Amino acid sequence: MTVCDIDKCAGCMLCIDVCKKEAIHIEDNMVSYNAVIDEDKCVNCNACHKKCPQNNTPEKISPISWYQGWNRDDEYRSKAPSGGIGMALAKQFIKDGGYVCSCLFKDGDFYFDITNDYEQALKFGGSKYVKSNPVGIYPKVLEVLKAGNKVLFIGLPCQIAAVKAYVGAQYQDRLYTVDLICHGTPSPKILELFLKQYSKSLKTIKDIKFRLKTKMQLVVDDKGIVCKGVSDKYTIAFLDGLTYTSNCYSCKYASRERISDITIGDSWGTKVDAEEIRKGVSLMVVQTEKGEQMLKNADIELLPVDVENAVNNNEQLSRPMSIRKNRSAFFELIKKKSFNHIIFNQYKSNCLKQDVKLVLIKLGLVH
Ligand SMILES: Cc1cc2nc3c(=O)[nH]c(=O)nc-3n(C[C@H](O)[C@H](O)[C@H](O)COP(=O)(O)OP(=O)(O)OC[C@H]3O[C@@H](n4cnc5c(N)ncnc54)[C@H](O)[C@@H]3O)c2cc1C
């Protein structure tokens, strides 16, 4: 028996945190996640079924305002994936006495933590293009809220739905939420398979970055997995939407109406100065007055944005990613062939372009 429909689990892990009998575990076969109930332990309390965001219609909110802009802290902005808005909000929230909860990479896992120390919160920074794992975080958020504190939770939209469901109506006024515009997420096992080709493993690396501004590529322990400036085959597959778990292709949150106080993403298609684009420009969509206040208090440059242009340039503000024709073949082939071999054959022209770039960089003709 599974908590939600077969192959529809988003991996938010709420059911695991809700179950008092420790009767639920996640089965991850890379194609999809399933939250499986151990019927010997289950006492039929139904708490998991009732709370699961996949079994409920999300309460989505229409935006009240749209902005583009960036973190005014130049040092953080230069390291941020986009305009550094996540960490600008975290900084101000902690300054105002609150706690911030988000995702970080440590000891091979993309897990969640909560802190009221900005130096610690900086470890949350960066885009992780993989399914992160919030297991265990929801009770911690509730505990901090119950103690009278405010909490800012930054995560994927499915994780925001989960934290709101766990916390319940009583503490919503102290819970602040920021979700990311999200293409979709692959299982970390996909990343592990990819890294294995380079004799690397998530457990043994210290740091991993997935992008810097418009440069989309894996950088492991400060070295481009292929070469800085050249896109790797994990990233090529991710950006095309090939490798996400099944639920992502029917994501309920990929729309203009959102689940959080503020949604952040990239201001693709922006007409601001080219130098600012190089430094990183984010899109911010505000759903609530709480969100508006949070944004205006933070050290963020806020500029108007052409809403239709922003939406047209960001597909996941309208619909989920569609399933790629070559997805089933990829998951069949990965059982016997190498990741790079399959992606090379499926994305020949893009891969050849990256190979040429690599040669030009090595010859010193391109930087
Ligand atoms: C899987 C994924 C898909 C995305 N798809 C799109 C898209 O289609 N269009 C678009 O405009 N933007 C997308 N984004 C958002 C974009 O890549 C940036 O993460 C976002 O703009 C924030 O940038 P920033 O400079 O403000 O980051 P920062 O100031 O560094 O803040 C980033 C915050 O996001 C949190 N975070 C990052 N990755 C994860 C994760 N996997 N799980 C939970 N929390 C996480 C960090 O922990 C941190 O708190 C996606 C992000 C992810 C993780």
Side-chain angles (χ1 to χ4, degrees):
M1 191 170 45
T2 53
V3 175
C4 60
D5 288 349
I6 292 280
D7 295 343
K8 288 290 181 236
C9 172
C12 74
M13 309 289 168
L14 176 67
C15 54
I16 296 184
D17 281 0
V18 155
C19 180
K20 297 218 169 18
K21 297 291 170 189
E22 295 183 7
I24 302 169
H25 71 278
I26 300 292
E27 279 179 8
D28 167 10
N29 62 10
M30 296 193 287
V31 182
S32 54
Y33 274 23
N34 278 293
V36 179
I37 304 173
D38 177 341
E39 290 176 38
D40 291 335
K41 291 185 184 168
C42 175
V43 290
N44 293 315
C45 73
N46 243 342
C48 59
H49 294 289
K50 276 196 234 144
K51 290 267 182 192
C52 170
Q54 295 298 76
N55 292 338
N56 289 288
T57 307
E59 276 181 40
K60 293 198 284 185
I61 321 162
S62 295
I64 54 173
S65 51
W66 297 68
Y67 302 97
Q68 57 183 339
W70 51 84
N71 189 334
R72 288 202 197 101
D73 173 348
D74 281 340
E75 198 194 331
Y76 185 74
R77 184 185 179 198
S78 69
K79 292 184 263 179
S82 178
I85 302 301
M87 288 306 103
L89 293 169
K91 190 176 189 177
Q92 188 60 43
F93 204 82
I94 288 173
K95 227 186 206 171
D96 293 341
Y99 283 70
V100 174
C101 177
S102 197
C103 159
L104 70 151
F105 175 69
K106 201 179 160 209
D107 301 331
D109 284 324
F110 296 90
Y111 78 106
F112 276 67
D113 204 357
I114 182 161
T115 182
N116 62 350
D117 176 343
Y118 179 59
E119 288 307 310
Q120 289 298 318
L122 277 176
K123 295 187 182 150
F124 297 142
S127 287
K128 294 100 185 168
Y129 286 156
V130 67
K131 222 175 239 350
S132 50
N133 183 356
V135 74
I137 201 64
Y138 307 115
K140 287 188 190 158
V141 169
L142 185 58
E143 197 184 303
V144 175
L145 289 168
K146 277 185 174 167
N149 302 292
K150 290 183 179 175
V151 175
L152 168 61
F153 189 103
I154 310 176
L156 305 176
C158 44
Q159 299 163 347
I160 302 296
V163 71
K164 287 172 95 170
Y166 190 91
V167 161
Q170 200 183 345
Y171 298 102
Q172 293 293 337
D173 58 331
R174 280 189 238 146
L175 177 68
Y176 291 67
T177 54
V178 171
D179 75 312
L180 305 174
I181 301 173
C182 180
H183 272 92
T185 47
S187 155
K189 286 187 185 173
I190 296 277
L191 182 56
E192 196 67 273
L193 271 180
F194 172 78
L195 291 174
K196 204 171 155 199
Q197 303 173 114
Y198 299 87
S199 306
K200 294 193 186 303
S201 152
L202 286 171
K203 284 278 173 227
T204 53
I205 61 176
K206 286 199 172 60
D207 182 49
I208 181 161
K209 292 195 176 59
F210 295 77
R211 72 174 275 197
L212 182 68
K213 316 299 170 200
T214 53
K215 287 194 184 105
M216 307 281 183
Q217 67 164 128
L218 283 181
V219 174
V220 172
D221 293 335
D222 272 334
K223 272 201 182 137
I225 198 96
V226 183
C227 162
K228 272 197 177 151
V230 177
S231 202
D232 52 79
K233 294 177 180 63
Y234 176 86
T235 305
I236 290 172
F238 171 82
L239 292 176
D240 192 53
L242 181 72
T243 46
Y244 311 155
T245 54
S246 307
N247 66 292
C248 294
Y249 303 97
S250 54
C251 175
K252 307 183 205 182
Y253 312 101
S255 66
R256 208 184 273 220
E257 293 71 39
R258 309 295 301 179
I259 187 87
S260 65
D261 295 304
I262 306 174
T263 299
I264 58 175
D266 297 293
S267 193
W268 298 126
T270 179
K271 305 278 188 300
V272 301
D273 190 73
E275 181 56 12
E276 297 299 353
I277 297 176
R278 195 191 58 76
K279 290 186 188 167
V281 184
S282 290
L283 180 70
M284 290 151 271
V285 190
V286 183
Q287 280 70 244
T288 64
E289 280 307 324
K290 243 161 106 189
E292 188 82 30
Q293 278 315 314
M294 198 174 17
L295 210 53
K296 288 192 169 152
N297 282 347
D299 195 15
I300 295 173
E301 188 71 32
L302 287 178
L303 304 172
V305 64
D306 176 339
V307 176
E308 291 316 312
N309 185 50
V311 173
N312 289 337
N313 280 284
N314 225 320
E315 198 185 336
Q316 276 61 65
L317 285 173
S318 303
R319 67 191 78 84
M321 181 68 85
S322 52
I323 297 194
R324 294 301 178 231
K325 285 198 191 95
N326 46 333
R327 184 171 178 268
S328 313
F330 170 81
F331 282 111
E332 263 315 302
L333 288 167
I334 201 70
K335 294 175 194 157
K336 33 190 193 271
K337 297 244 158 85
S338 82
F339 192 107
N340 281 352
H341 176 86
I342 305 165
I343 299 304
F344 183 82
N345 282 317
Q346 293 191 337
Y347 295 90
K348 241 176 213 147
S349 73
N350 194 351
C351 291
L352 285 170
K353 225 188 273 168
Q354 299 306 318
D355 288 349
V356 170
K357 222 171 158 190
L358 177 63
V359 173
L360 295 177
I361 290 174
K362 290 213 161 149
L363 291 173
L365 299 171
V366 167
H367 299 285

